[in-house]
Amino acid sequence: MTQTVQEKRELYAKTRRSNYLASLRLEGFDTAPSDAAKPLPTREAVLAKYRQMAG
């Protein structure tokens, strides 16, 4: 069975979300199954937030 590029992207995104939520749980944050449907913040958004906190 060969996967299309779109299927590979969807699988990668699903795995990325799952790994992100697992890392949050390991750090002690409460997560819910519905969190997997929420989009992840972009790298730029995260950096901007931390720059605000530092400044």
Side-chain angles (χ1 to χ4, degrees):
M1 176 177 143
T2 59
Q3 291 181 327
T4 65
V5 173
Q6 183 62 30
E7 290 172 333
K8 289 179 183 180
R9 286 181 181 161
E10 291 170 4
L11 178 62
Y12 176 76
K14 182 179 174 184
T15 303
R16 181 173 174 232
R17 276 189 220 100
S18 175
N19 288 345
Y20 177 70
L21 291 173
S23 70
L24 287 177
R25 283 191 298 274
L26 288 172
E27 292 295 324
F29 291 92
D30 293 327
T31 60
S34 62
D35 293 338
K38 295 177 185 175
L40 295 177
T42 63
R43 181 178 187 270
E44 292 77 21
V46 172
L47 290 174
K49 181 171 178 95
Y50 280 103
R51 285 185 185 124
Q52 272 185 346
M53 292 171 58

